[in-house]
Amino acid sequence: MVQGYDERGGPHIFTVDNPGKCEYYDKIGFWAIGSGQHQAVASLFLTEYDRFKPLEECVARVLAAKLAAESASGVGKKTWLMVHRKTALSKTIFASMPLQAAFRKKWEVLPRFPVDMLPEIKKEIDAAAKDHDEEVRQEQSPNLPGPSSAGTVQ
């Protein structure tokens, strides 16, 4: 499975099967591969995944899809999540173990989309994005003082 952005910033997702057959999933905006593919894709459809919804909702739906996929043989319990941004640098956001455990606990009880977890997910995403934005700023302007040194003379 391949995901990325074109030169205009448009997102694309596709798979390549033997012998080089491409399947595109740009219109639905998601896909899954592997032994848990059917469960994950079904979960994304059932929870009405939409890439235009707030990021925390998308992350929650992807986490729910991952948990659904765990019912398939060969899908482990460990999870990491990568959020790609249009910027040159993508930020890897790891869903913390406490967040995953809380999400799993609520997911195991119907309904399997814990809406009340959205504020916690948003908080982690915002913190990761803030760190990422600072890293990008430092990389683009390594000699400029950071926000903490504003108003000081160097």
Side-chain angles (χ1 to χ4, degrees):
M1 185 163 65
V2 180
Q3 179 276 328
Y5 295 91
D6 62 28
E7 63 278 355
R8 294 179 306 230
H12 300 282
I13 185 168
F14 62 95
T15 58
V16 182
D17 292 323
N18 193 14
K21 180 184 172 201
C22 291
E23 296 285 338
Y24 296 90
Y25 303 99
D26 294 354
K27 287 186 179 181
I28 62 172
F30 63 84
W31 199 243
I33 58 172
S35 60
Q37 172 188 11
H38 298 295
Q39 295 88 334
V41 170
S43 175
L44 291 166
F45 276 117
L46 287 170
T47 61
E48 299 178 357
Y49 179 91
D50 179 351
R51 69 178 182 257
F52 299 107
K53 289 185 178 182
L55 183 57
E56 64 271 16
E57 287 189 37
C58 292
V59 168
R61 284 170 169 76
V62 168
L63 284 172
K66 165 50 172 77
L67 294 174
E70 289 177 6
S71 65
S73 175
V75 178
K77 300 253 187 237
K78 290 185 179 177
T79 303
W80 64 268
L81 173 71
M82 178 179 239
V83 175
H84 288 271
R85 297 168 65 162
K86 290 182 192 179
T87 60
L89 297 173
S90 289
K91 174 64 179 177
T92 302
I93 298 174
F94 291 95
S96 68
M97 294 307 289
L99 178 69
Q100 285 186 49
F103 191 92
R104 181 181 298 276
K105 186 175 181 179
K106 290 180 181 269
W107 179 85
E108 289 172 345
V109 179
L110 293 177
R112 292 207 163 173
F113 186 77
V115 176
D116 61 334
M117 290 294 299
L118 295 178
E120 290 182 52
I121 293 170
K122 181 174 180 8
K123 189 166 87 173
E124 285 201 16
I125 290 169
D126 289 346
K130 183 179 177 185
D131 292 344
H132 175 259
D133 292 344
E134 179 63 21
E135 291 169 14
V136 169
R137 189 189 69 73
Q138 288 295 330
E139 184 173 294
Q140 291 173 348
S141 306
N143 296 326
L144 292 178
S148 62
S149 60
T152 61
V153 177
Q154 295 187 357

